[in-house]
Amino acid sequence: MNREVVVIGAGLAGAEAAYQLAKNGIKVKLYEMRPKVSTEAHKSDKFAELVCSNSLGGDHLGNASGLMKEELRRMGSLLIEIADQTKVPAGQALAVDREGFSQIITDRLHSMENIEIINEELKEIPKDTVVLVASGPLTSEALSKNIAEMLDQEYLYFYDAAAPIVTLESIDKDKVYFQSRYGKGDGEYINCPMTKEEYEAFYEALITAERAPMKKFEEEKLFEGCMPVERIAQRGIKTLLFGPLKPKGLTNPKTDRWDYAVVQLRQDDKDGKLYNLVGFQTNLKWGEQKRVFSMIPGLENAEFIRYGVMHRNTFIDSTKLLTPALNLKSNDNIYFAGQITGGEGYVCAIATGLMAATNIIRKFDGKEPIVLDDRSSIGAIIKYITEEKKNFQPMGPNFGIIKSLDERIRDKKEKYNKISKIALDYLEEKLNQEK
């Protein structure tokens, strides 16, 4: 078999896969339609652009996303390596300089001799070669139609949203304070405190603000992990106080006590000039975002360099279509990776990209695919997206789908750390067996 692979999409999954394939001597034709054809969410022509948050989630072993990152480090993930290089202060999370992260990945792939980058929209899946479809949840209309026809199935979908970004210099420093929740960090977050009266006025403005219109023929299916802040608010006046505006663990240095509500901002770039509003994914019209979010203490004169947007994410019913090796049951030369599989979030996209590439390499070498079981975080998410179920919904890394312990441990921290140790020991043993 000709050792060549067509990779469709240079997002997180496609970029990771292209690197792994090329590093192992396989010729890659990497198709990326941007900048010729853009999407409703992308802002640049760089690879692996982070369109929503700049955070890749928790980065400690008491967190399932943190476990998945550590598994990826041990498997030689390029994108996690670059995320570590470009990280910005974010407490116990791994957040990155959004621009720097994408630029380094773009430069690295451009420099690899086994990768041919083709900036064109690929409208049909090639039939005469091995293909990895990593076109993401914002797959172009033409390619979406071709995939649907090939699979003889309609796409599933949900709506995702991004949060606004403001400049540091436009924030009123006299009204905010730097602090990490419960002191877990070096005070990286900017905290905008609210009194009860300020919160209630903000809440009323938020729930009555005008939202951008949805397409009339579509039902609004929202993913809980990226629920627009205005929709969270509509569930009740105190709902935000247990969500993105929760004051717990933040002691205002001016009053030496917790505030009624707190809006947190997280550094978005390496230089610390840009900050995003944590948990403020939104579908409000841009003028309404400026009006309502400027009511937040400290943001009265904030300069918004990017407003929040909401977009439709499409994904295939992977549970009926894919094998645990991430290729189609109906065609073992066509693989899928990234959010188009229903694995939710940045880290899942990287993980499925790496695993699909690993199994394509093994296919060329005449070896059986590597299938990790649910003792590992990566194995658990792939099992979730490839094990048939009636009502398939996107899911990211979590301890609920990782194999349970044989013993009962009440302390959550102790329990999750033990699950993580088992996962990493298992992964090391599995990788040593496959050498």
Side-chain angles (χ1 to χ4, degrees):
M1 184 181 290
N2 184 22
R3 291 175 70 87
E4 181 177 281
V5 178
V6 170
V7 176
I8 306 174
L12 295 163
E16 181 69 55
Y19 169 79
Q20 298 294 339
L21 292 166
K23 185 181 73 167
N24 284 276
I26 293 171
K27 298 288 185 183
V28 176
K29 288 187 175 181
L30 177 58
Y31 282 83
E32 173 51 58
M33 66 182 186
R34 293 178 295 117
K36 289 186 179 179
V37 180
S38 191
T39 74
E40 55 195 298
H42 287 91
K43 304 296 181 185
S44 78
D45 60 354
K46 297 183 180 70
F47 300 164
E49 180 183 340
L50 304 181
V51 299
C52 293
S53 168
N54 71 320
S55 173
L56 278 69
D59 197 29
H60 56 94
L61 296 182
N63 177 284
S65 180
L67 171 59
M68 185 174 284
K69 291 181 194 65
E70 184 58 30
E71 292 173 359
L72 286 166
R73 288 185 184 102
R74 298 189 183 198
M75 296 183 76
S77 164
L78 172 70
L79 270 64
I80 296 299
E81 175 190 327
I82 292 173
D84 287 335
Q85 289 175 15
T86 58
K87 66 182 178 182
V88 297
Q92 291 190 303
L94 176 58
V96 302
D97 175 339
R98 196 187 301 254
E99 293 293 324
F101 175 76
S102 295
Q103 187 65 62
I104 294 173
I105 294 166
T106 304
D107 293 344
R108 182 73 69 89
L109 296 190
H110 271 283
S111 72
M112 297 185 75
E113 62 179 18
N114 283 334
I115 299 179
E116 177 188 358
I117 293 164
I118 305 168
N119 286 117
E120 293 178 10
E121 178 188 2
L122 193 61
K123 298 182 178 181
E124 292 186 4
I125 304 292
K127 298 180 174 62
D128 56 352
T129 188
V130 175
V131 179
L132 173 58
V133 182
S135 50
L138 300 171
T139 299
S140 72
E141 186 176 346
L143 184 59
S144 289
K145 183 179 178 183
N146 178 251
I147 294 171
E149 289 172 351
M150 178 184 71
L151 300 178
D152 193 27
Q153 282 201 340
E154 290 186 7
Y155 276 90
L156 305 171
Y157 72 91
F158 68 95
Y159 276 94
D160 200 355
I165 297 174
V166 300
T167 62
L168 174 65
E169 66 178 5
S170 67
I171 298 171
D172 186 342
K173 312 301 187 301
D174 292 333
K175 294 186 177 181
V176 303
Y177 58 93
F178 282 81
Q179 193 174 119
S180 298
R181 204 177 296 277
Y182 296 108
K184 294 180 178 178
D186 297 319
E188 300 94 343
Y189 289 82
I190 292 177
N191 299 280
C192 304
M194 284 186 176
T195 64
K196 184 173 186 290
E197 292 74 21
E198 288 169 334
Y199 171 78
E200 289 176 349
F202 169 77
Y203 172 82
E204 186 62 30
L206 182 63
I207 62 170
T208 57
E210 191 175 359
R211 301 180 71 204
M214 309 291 292
K215 292 181 180 178
K216 292 181 180 178
F217 57 87
E218 290 181 349
E219 177 188 352
E220 185 181 64
K221 300 176 185 177
L222 299 173
F223 180 63
E224 284 290 332
C226 280
M227 182 74 64
V229 66
E230 63 272 13
R231 291 300 302 272
I232 298 174
Q234 288 172 353
R235 293 174 172 177
I237 191 168
K238 291 191 175 181
T239 308
L240 292 174
L241 300 176
F242 296 91
L245 276 79
K246 62 178 177 287
K248 288 188 175 181
L250 295 167
T251 303
N252 191 325
K254 293 181 180 179
T255 62
D256 201 30
R257 61 185 182 185
W258 291 0
D259 296 295
Y260 187 79
V262 177
V263 175
Q264 287 199 306
L265 281 72
R266 179 177 56 231
Q267 188 174 328
D268 202 83
D269 67 325
K270 197 75 173 176
D271 295 333
K273 295 178 180 178
L274 306 177
Y275 277 75
N276 64 69
L277 280 66
V278 179
F280 269 64
Q281 299 88 350
T282 182
N283 189 41
L284 297 184
K285 287 187 172 182
W286 288 4
E288 292 288 76
Q289 290 183 45
K290 174 67 175 172
R291 178 180 68 84
V292 176
F293 299 156
S294 293
M295 295 175 68
I296 298 169
L299 303 187
E300 291 89 349
N301 298 303
E303 178 188 3
F304 288 80
I305 66 150
R306 190 190 80 176
Y307 286 104
V309 293
M310 192 158 149
H311 53 87
R312 186 182 193 268
N313 280 356
T314 56
F315 60 103
I316 62 172
D317 192 348
S318 300
T319 65
K320 293 184 174 68
L321 299 167
L322 298 183
T323 75
L326 297 176
N327 56 343
L328 286 176
K329 293 176 181 178
S330 60
N331 187 332
D332 62 8
N333 281 337
I334 299 177
Y335 293 73
F336 280 78
Q339 291 197 64
I340 195 170
T341 66
E344 175 56 28
Y346 296 150
V347 185
C348 273
I350 296 168
T352 52
L354 185 145
M355 290 306 299
T358 298
N359 287 326
I360 291 171
I361 294 163
R362 293 178 69 84
K363 178 185 181 71
F364 284 129
D365 292 342
K367 297 178 180 179
E368 290 296 311
I370 289 182
V371 177
L372 300 174
D373 69 29
D374 59 356
R375 277 174 286 181
S376 69
S377 181
I378 294 173
I381 201 66
I382 291 178
K383 179 181 178 182
Y384 175 80
I385 64 175
T386 60
E387 194 173 75
E388 194 159 340
K389 47 184 65 69
K390 285 185 178 179
N391 298 306
F392 178 45
Q393 291 296 319
M395 185 175 288
N398 66 86
F399 283 113
I401 59 173
I402 298 174
K403 187 179 172 87
S404 301
L405 297 172
D406 293 331
E407 59 184 308
R408 183 178 176 83
I409 299 177
R410 292 186 179 274
D411 183 81
K412 261 188 184 178
K413 183 178 179 181
E414 182 185 351
K415 175 182 175 181
Y416 291 158
N417 282 330
K418 183 154 190 178
I419 290 173
S420 292
K421 184 180 186 307
I422 291 170
L424 295 174
D425 288 346
Y426 159 71
L427 181 65
E428 184 176 353
E429 180 183 351
K430 185 78 170 176
L431 294 178
N432 286 334
Q433 288 174 357
E434 300 297 343
K435 284 182 179 177

